[in-house]
Amino acid sequence: MNTDNDRDVQQKDLPEGANYRLGKSSITGNVVFSPDGTQLSVCGDIGTWIYDAQSGDEVSLLAGHREYAWSVAYSPDGRTVATGTYEELWLWDSSTGLPKTTLKEHTDHVRSLAYSPDGSTIASGGADNLIILWDAEEESVKSTLKGHSGSVRSITYSPDGSNIASASSDESVIIWQAASGKSKVNLKGHTHVVNSVAYSPDGETIVTGSSDGTVRLWDAFTGQRKSTLADYKFYIWCVTYSPDGNTIAVGGRDGAVRLINPSSGESKSELKGHIGSVRSIAFSPDGNSLASGSEDHSVLLWDLSE
Protein backbone atom coordinates (compact mmCIF):
# COMPACT_ATOMS: atom_id res chain seq x y z
CA MET A 1 0.00 0.00 0.00
CA ASN A 2 1.05 3.61 -0.50
CA THR A 3 2.97 5.39 2.23
CA ASP A 4 1.91 8.91 3.18
CA ASN A 5 4.91 10.31 1.27
CA ASP A 6 3.99 8.30 -1.85
CA ARG A 7 0.46 9.62 -1.64
CA ASP A 8 1.58 13.23 -1.20
CA VAL A 9 3.84 13.02 -4.25
CA GLN A 10 1.09 11.37 -6.31
CA GLN A 11 -1.40 14.14 -5.50
CA LYS A 12 0.96 17.01 -6.34
CA ASP A 13 0.09 19.32 -9.23
CA LEU A 14 -3.31 17.82 -9.88
CA PRO A 15 -4.99 19.22 -13.00
CA GLU A 16 -7.97 21.50 -12.54
CA GLY A 17 -11.10 19.53 -11.78
CA ALA A 18 -9.32 16.37 -10.60
CA ASN A 19 -9.76 15.09 -7.05
CA TYR A 20 -7.18 12.30 -7.09
CA ARG A 21 -4.43 10.73 -9.11
CA LEU A 22 -4.27 6.95 -8.71
CA GLY A 23 -2.13 4.18 -10.11
CA LYS A 24 0.98 2.23 -9.15
CA SER A 25 1.66 0.36 -12.37
CA SER A 26 1.00 0.40 -16.08
CA ILE A 27 -2.74 0.74 -16.84
CA THR A 28 -3.36 -2.19 -19.16
CA GLY A 29 -7.14 -2.41 -19.31
CA ASN A 30 -10.31 -0.66 -18.26
CA VAL A 31 -11.39 1.19 -15.14
CA VAL A 32 -14.83 0.62 -13.62
CA PHE A 33 -16.85 1.78 -10.61
CA SER A 34 -18.69 -0.66 -8.38
CA PRO A 35 -22.50 -0.53 -8.70
CA ASP A 36 -22.81 1.44 -5.45
CA GLY A 37 -20.03 3.81 -6.46
CA THR A 38 -17.86 3.14 -3.42
CA GLN A 39 -15.05 1.34 -5.24
CA LEU A 40 -13.01 1.89 -8.38
CA SER A 41 -11.21 -1.04 -10.02
CA VAL A 42 -8.22 -0.50 -12.29
CA CYS A 43 -6.57 -3.11 -14.52
CA GLY A 44 -2.77 -3.09 -14.32
CA ASP A 45 0.25 -5.11 -15.32
CA ILE A 46 0.62 -6.66 -11.87
CA GLY A 47 -3.06 -7.20 -11.15
CA THR A 48 -6.27 -5.26 -10.60
CA TRP A 49 -6.20 -2.54 -7.99
CA ILE A 50 -9.34 -1.70 -6.03
CA TYR A 51 -9.54 1.81 -4.59
CA ASP A 52 -11.94 3.58 -2.29
CA ALA A 53 -13.68 5.91 -4.73
CA GLN A 54 -14.21 8.64 -2.12
CA SER A 55 -10.81 8.81 -0.47
CA GLY A 56 -8.60 7.37 -3.20
CA ASP A 57 -7.11 4.91 -0.69
CA GLU A 58 -6.06 1.47 -1.88
CA VAL A 59 -8.39 -1.29 -0.69
CA SER A 60 -6.85 -4.39 -2.22
CA LEU A 61 -4.88 -5.84 -5.11
CA LEU A 62 -6.39 -8.72 -7.07
CA ALA A 63 -3.22 -10.56 -8.06
CA GLY A 64 -2.53 -14.06 -9.29
CA HIS A 65 -2.85 -13.84 -13.05
CA ARG A 66 -0.03 -15.27 -15.10
CA GLU A 67 -0.16 -12.11 -17.22
CA TYR A 68 -1.52 -8.60 -16.85
CA ALA A 69 -5.22 -7.88 -16.54
CA TRP A 70 -7.03 -6.70 -19.67
CA SER A 71 -10.56 -6.22 -18.39
CA VAL A 72 -12.65 -5.94 -15.23
CA ALA A 73 -16.38 -5.88 -14.42
CA TYR A 74 -18.51 -5.90 -11.28
CA SER A 75 -21.53 -8.10 -10.80
CA PRO A 76 -24.73 -6.01 -10.43
CA ASP A 77 -24.89 -6.80 -6.69
CA GLY A 78 -21.27 -5.67 -6.30
CA ARG A 79 -20.20 -8.86 -4.53
CA THR A 80 -18.05 -10.25 -7.31
CA VAL A 81 -15.36 -8.76 -9.51
CA ALA A 82 -14.56 -10.50 -12.80
CA THR A 83 -11.16 -9.93 -14.40
CA GLY A 84 -9.86 -11.06 -17.77
CA THR A 85 -6.31 -12.01 -18.63
CA TYR A 86 -4.64 -14.36 -21.10
CA GLU A 87 -7.14 -17.18 -21.86
CA GLU A 88 -8.81 -16.87 -18.44
CA LEU A 89 -11.53 -15.16 -16.43
CA TRP A 90 -11.05 -14.89 -12.69
CA LEU A 91 -13.91 -14.24 -10.27
CA TRP A 92 -13.04 -12.50 -7.00
CA ASP A 93 -14.81 -11.62 -3.77
CA SER A 94 -14.96 -7.81 -3.89
CA SER A 95 -14.94 -7.41 -0.11
CA THR A 96 -11.96 -9.66 0.67
CA GLY A 97 -10.04 -9.50 -2.61
CA LEU A 98 -9.74 -13.30 -2.59
CA PRO A 99 -10.25 -15.37 -5.76
CA LYS A 100 -13.37 -17.52 -6.06
CA THR A 101 -12.75 -19.43 -9.27
CA THR A 102 -11.04 -19.41 -12.65
CA LEU A 103 -12.86 -19.91 -15.95
CA LYS A 104 -10.94 -20.95 -19.03
CA GLU A 105 -12.32 -21.32 -22.53
CA HIS A 106 -10.76 -18.51 -24.57
CA THR A 107 -7.55 -19.17 -26.49
CA ASP A 108 -6.22 -15.61 -26.33
CA HIS A 109 -6.51 -12.48 -24.20
CA VAL A 110 -9.90 -11.65 -22.70
CA ARG A 111 -10.22 -8.05 -23.87
CA SER A 112 -13.66 -7.16 -22.50
CA LEU A 113 -16.15 -8.27 -19.85
CA ALA A 114 -19.77 -7.42 -19.06
CA TYR A 115 -22.37 -8.77 -16.65
CA SER A 116 -25.98 -9.00 -17.75
CA PRO A 117 -28.20 -6.54 -15.82
CA ASP A 118 -29.75 -9.40 -13.83
CA GLY A 119 -26.33 -10.81 -12.97
CA SER A 120 -27.06 -14.27 -14.34
CA THR A 121 -24.60 -14.13 -17.23
CA ILE A 122 -21.06 -12.93 -17.82
CA ALA A 123 -20.11 -12.03 -21.40
CA SER A 124 -16.45 -12.14 -22.33
CA GLY A 125 -14.91 -10.90 -25.56
CA GLY A 126 -11.53 -12.18 -26.63
CA ALA A 127 -8.63 -11.61 -28.98
CA ASP A 128 -9.60 -15.03 -30.35
CA ASN A 129 -12.55 -13.26 -32.08
CA LEU A 130 -15.06 -15.02 -29.80
CA ILE A 131 -17.73 -13.91 -27.35
CA ILE A 132 -18.47 -16.44 -24.64
CA LEU A 133 -21.54 -16.28 -22.42
CA TRP A 134 -21.03 -17.82 -18.99
CA ASP A 135 -23.58 -18.90 -16.42
CA ALA A 136 -22.53 -16.79 -13.45
CA GLU A 137 -23.93 -19.18 -10.86
CA GLU A 138 -22.93 -22.49 -12.44
CA GLU A 139 -19.62 -21.00 -13.67
CA SER A 140 -19.98 -22.82 -16.96
CA VAL A 141 -20.26 -21.91 -20.65
CA LYS A 142 -23.80 -21.20 -21.87
CA SER A 143 -22.97 -20.40 -25.48
CA THR A 144 -20.24 -19.14 -27.81
CA LEU A 145 -20.99 -16.29 -30.21
CA LYS A 146 -19.10 -16.43 -33.49
CA GLY A 147 -19.29 -13.70 -36.11
CA HIS A 148 -16.33 -11.37 -35.76
CA SER A 149 -13.23 -11.85 -37.89
CA GLY A 150 -11.06 -9.81 -35.55
CA SER A 151 -10.36 -9.31 -31.86
CA VAL A 152 -13.39 -8.35 -29.75
CA ARG A 153 -12.33 -5.08 -28.15
CA SER A 154 -15.46 -4.02 -26.27
CA ILE A 155 -18.71 -5.65 -25.19
CA THR A 156 -21.82 -4.35 -23.45
CA TYR A 157 -25.37 -5.34 -22.59
CA SER A 158 -28.38 -3.23 -23.44
CA PRO A 159 -29.99 -1.75 -20.31
CA ASP A 160 -32.85 -4.28 -20.43
CA GLY A 161 -30.46 -7.19 -20.97
CA SER A 162 -32.10 -8.35 -24.19
CA ASN A 163 -29.21 -7.54 -26.50
CA ILE A 164 -25.42 -7.50 -26.51
CA ALA A 165 -23.27 -5.17 -28.60
CA SER A 166 -19.68 -6.07 -29.43
CA ALA A 167 -16.98 -3.96 -31.09
CA SER A 168 -14.10 -5.49 -32.97
CA SER A 169 -10.84 -4.90 -34.78
CA ASP A 170 -12.67 -6.11 -37.91
CA GLU A 171 -14.11 -2.55 -38.08
CA SER A 172 -17.64 -3.65 -37.20
CA VAL A 173 -20.10 -3.76 -34.31
CA ILE A 174 -22.50 -6.69 -34.00
CA ILE A 175 -25.76 -6.61 -32.06
CA TRP A 176 -26.65 -10.05 -30.69
CA GLN A 177 -29.81 -11.42 -29.15
CA ALA A 178 -28.71 -12.25 -25.63
CA ALA A 179 -31.06 -15.18 -25.09
CA SER A 180 -30.33 -17.06 -28.31
CA GLY A 181 -26.84 -15.80 -29.09
CA LYS A 182 -27.89 -15.08 -32.67
CA SER A 183 -26.55 -12.03 -34.45
CA LYS A 184 -29.25 -9.49 -35.32
CA VAL A 185 -27.55 -6.49 -36.94
CA ASN A 186 -24.04 -5.66 -38.14
CA LEU A 187 -23.08 -1.98 -37.80
CA LYS A 188 -20.66 -1.08 -40.57
CA GLY A 189 -19.12 2.23 -41.49
CA HIS A 190 -15.96 2.62 -39.43
CA THR A 191 -12.74 2.34 -41.42
CA HIS A 192 -10.46 1.14 -38.64
CA VAL A 193 -10.59 -0.80 -35.37
CA VAL A 194 -13.70 -0.15 -33.28
CA ASN A 195 -12.29 0.10 -29.78
CA SER A 196 -15.35 0.92 -27.71
CA VAL A 197 -19.14 0.55 -27.72
CA ALA A 198 -21.79 1.66 -25.22
CA TYR A 199 -25.57 1.86 -24.97
CA SER A 200 -27.43 5.00 -24.00
CA PRO A 201 -29.26 4.60 -20.66
CA ASP A 202 -32.63 4.46 -22.46
CA GLY A 203 -31.33 1.66 -24.71
CA GLU A 204 -32.27 3.45 -27.93
CA THR A 205 -28.84 4.53 -29.13
CA ILE A 206 -25.39 2.97 -29.41
CA VAL A 207 -22.21 5.05 -29.42
CA THR A 208 -18.97 3.74 -30.92
CA GLY A 209 -15.41 5.03 -30.90
CA SER A 210 -12.83 3.96 -33.44
CA SER A 211 -9.18 4.26 -34.36
CA ASP A 212 -10.44 6.00 -37.51
CA GLY A 213 -10.94 9.06 -35.29
CA THR A 214 -14.72 9.10 -35.35
CA VAL A 215 -17.40 8.83 -32.70
CA ARG A 216 -20.67 7.59 -34.19
CA LEU A 217 -24.25 7.19 -33.00
CA TRP A 218 -26.43 4.30 -34.19
CA ASP A 219 -30.05 3.28 -33.83
CA ALA A 220 -29.87 0.40 -31.36
CA PHE A 221 -32.75 -1.47 -32.99
CA THR A 222 -32.20 -1.03 -36.73
CA GLY A 223 -28.44 -0.54 -36.72
CA GLN A 224 -28.80 2.54 -38.94
CA ARG A 225 -26.24 5.25 -38.37
CA LYS A 226 -27.80 8.35 -36.82
CA SER A 227 -24.82 10.67 -37.00
CA THR A 228 -21.07 11.06 -36.82
CA LEU A 229 -20.83 12.84 -33.52
CA ALA A 230 -17.19 13.84 -33.91
CA ASP A 231 -14.34 13.36 -36.36
CA TYR A 232 -10.96 13.77 -34.72
CA LYS A 233 -7.47 13.45 -36.16
CA PHE A 234 -6.37 10.81 -33.66
CA TYR A 235 -7.34 7.38 -32.35
CA ILE A 236 -10.43 7.15 -30.17
CA TRP A 237 -9.92 4.49 -27.51
CA CYS A 238 -13.03 4.76 -25.34
CA VAL A 239 -16.55 6.18 -25.28
CA THR A 240 -19.32 5.98 -22.70
CA TYR A 241 -22.60 7.62 -21.71
CA SER A 242 -23.24 9.43 -18.45
CA PRO A 243 -25.92 7.80 -16.27
CA ASP A 244 -28.49 10.46 -17.22
CA GLY A 245 -27.73 10.08 -20.94
CA ASN A 246 -27.01 13.79 -21.40
CA THR A 247 -23.27 13.45 -21.93
CA ILE A 248 -20.91 11.22 -23.87
CA ALA A 249 -17.33 11.03 -22.64
CA VAL A 250 -14.60 10.38 -25.20
CA GLY A 251 -11.00 9.42 -24.55
CA GLY A 252 -8.27 9.23 -27.15
CA ARG A 253 -4.65 9.41 -28.13
CA ASP A 254 -4.24 13.13 -27.37
CA GLY A 255 -4.67 12.55 -23.63
CA ALA A 256 -7.80 14.64 -23.10
CA VAL A 257 -11.28 13.53 -22.06
CA ARG A 258 -13.99 15.28 -24.02
CA LEU A 259 -17.52 15.66 -22.71
CA ILE A 260 -19.98 15.96 -25.59
CA ASN A 261 -23.69 16.73 -25.86
CA PRO A 262 -25.10 13.68 -27.71
CA SER A 263 -28.01 15.65 -29.17
CA SER A 264 -26.07 18.54 -30.68
CA GLY A 265 -22.59 17.03 -30.92
CA GLU A 266 -21.21 20.16 -29.28
CA SER A 267 -18.36 19.93 -26.80
CA LYS A 268 -19.32 20.72 -23.22
CA SER A 269 -15.82 20.68 -21.78
CA GLU A 270 -12.41 19.05 -21.94
CA LEU A 271 -10.62 17.41 -19.03
CA LYS A 272 -6.90 17.84 -19.53
CA GLY A 273 -4.25 16.31 -17.31
CA HIS A 274 -2.96 13.10 -18.87
CA ILE A 275 0.28 13.03 -20.85
CA GLY A 276 -0.54 9.74 -22.58
CA SER A 277 -3.46 8.20 -24.45
CA VAL A 278 -6.67 7.84 -22.45
CA ARG A 279 -7.51 4.16 -22.81
CA SER A 280 -10.50 3.85 -20.48
CA ILE A 281 -13.17 6.06 -18.93
CA ALA A 282 -16.04 5.41 -16.50
CA PHE A 283 -18.74 7.55 -14.90
CA SER A 284 -19.64 6.95 -11.29
CA PRO A 285 -23.22 5.66 -10.85
CA ASP A 286 -24.41 9.07 -9.64
CA GLY A 287 -22.69 10.85 -12.54
CA ASN A 288 -20.78 13.19 -10.24
CA SER A 289 -17.37 11.71 -10.96
CA LEU A 290 -15.48 10.36 -13.93
CA ALA A 291 -12.40 8.15 -13.87
CA SER A 292 -9.92 8.14 -16.74
CA GLY A 293 -7.12 5.61 -17.15
CA SER A 294 -4.13 6.47 -19.29
CA GLU A 295 -0.98 5.05 -20.82
CA ASP A 296 0.88 7.55 -18.60
CA HIS A 297 0.37 4.98 -15.78
CA SER A 298 -2.20 7.06 -13.95
CA VAL A 299 -5.92 7.22 -13.28
CA LEU A 300 -7.44 10.64 -12.68
CA LEU A 301 -10.69 10.97 -10.76
CA TRP A 302 -12.54 14.06 -11.99
CA ASP A 303 -15.22 16.00 -10.09
CA LEU A 304 -18.26 16.66 -12.31
CA SER A 305 -20.64 17.68 -9.54
CA GLU A 306 -20.64 21.39 -10.32
Side-chain angles (χ1 to χ4, degrees):
M1 298 297 179
N2 276 348
T3 65
D4 290 339
N5 287 338
D6 290 336
R7 184 177 174 82
D8 290 343
V9 170
Q10 197 172 40
Q11 305 315 317
K12 274 189 174 182
D13 301 320
L14 284 173
E16 183 180 356
N19 285 334
Y20 297 110
R21 180 184 290 110
L22 310 173
K24 293 185 68 176
S25 64
S26 176
I27 311 301
T28 56
N30 62 315
V31 299
V32 63
F33 282 92
S34 60
D36 63 4
T38 62
Q39 293 183 348
L40 179 70
S41 289
V42 178
C43 289
D45 58 1
I46 59 174
T48 300
W49 291 96
I50 295 183
Y51 294 92
D52 184 296
Q54 301 303 314
S55 67
D57 292 335
E58 296 161 11
V59 176
S60 59
L61 172 64
L62 311 182
H65 294 314
R66 291 177 297 164
E67 293 195 21
Y68 46 81
W70 274 102
S71 50
V72 59
Y74 277 90
S75 61
D77 63 11
R79 296 178 181 177
T80 303
V81 179
T83 58
T85 182
Y86 182 69
E87 297 185 342
E88 296 176 341
L89 281 71
W90 286 44
L91 303 183
W92 310 78
D93 185 302
S94 63
S95 60
T96 65
L98 297 175
K100 294 180 175 182
T101 190
T102 302
L103 308 176
K104 184 173 180 179
E105 188 72 20
H106 284 283
T107 58
D108 209 323
H109 291 95
V110 180
R111 297 293 300 267
S112 184
L113 291 169
Y115 270 89
S116 60
D118 65 5
S120 66
T121 306
I122 307 169
S124 59
D128 55 8
N129 308 347
L130 300 177
I131 297 164
I132 298 176
L133 303 184
W134 306 81
D135 187 301
E137 183 175 352
E138 299 294 331
E139 299 173 352
S140 60
V141 174
K142 297 172 73 172
S143 59
T144 300
L145 282 50
K146 300 178 180 179
H148 283 297
S149 59
S151 172
V152 179
R153 297 299 184 91
S154 179
I155 190 168
T156 184
Y157 272 87
S158 60
D160 66 2
S162 63
N163 293 314
I164 297 168
S166 57
S168 170
S169 63
D170 65 11
E171 303 178 1
S172 76
V173 172
I174 297 178
I175 300 176
W176 311 80
Q177 188 177 55
S180 67
K182 294 181 178 180
S183 61
K184 298 175 63 177
V185 183
N186 196 323
L187 282 53
K188 293 184 177 180
H190 283 294
T191 59
H192 211 291
V193 177
V194 186
N195 293 303
S196 186
V197 60
Y199 274 91
S200 60
D202 63 11
E204 295 183 358
T205 304
I206 289 174
V207 61
T208 56
S210 168
S211 296
D212 65 12
T214 65
V215 177
R216 302 188 181 196
L217 298 182
W218 312 77
D219 186 292
F221 304 104
T222 66
Q224 295 297 310
R225 182 169 27 159
K226 291 184 173 182
S227 63
T228 298
L229 197 62
D231 190 352
Y232 300 110
K233 304 301 180 185
F234 50 82
Y235 281 20
I236 301 300
W237 291 116
C238 47
V239 293
T240 192
Y241 272 91
S242 61
D244 63 8
N246 293 328
T247 304
I248 291 175
V250 180
R253 178 174 278 181
D254 72 338
V257 177
R258 288 168 171 79
L259 303 181
I260 301 175
N261 183 316
S263 298
S264 66
E266 295 179 356
S267 176
K268 292 183 172 183
S269 62
E270 291 186 13
L271 309 177
K272 297 181 178 180
H274 288 293
I275 58 173
S277 293
V278 176
R279 299 298 296 263
S280 180
I281 46 181
F283 281 96
S284 61
D286 62 9
N288 290 330
S289 300
L290 183 142
S292 57
S294 169
E295 288 180 350
D296 64 14
H297 295 194
S298 74
V299 174
L300 288 171
L301 193 61
W302 304 88
D303 184 358
L304 306 180
S305 58
E306 295 183 0

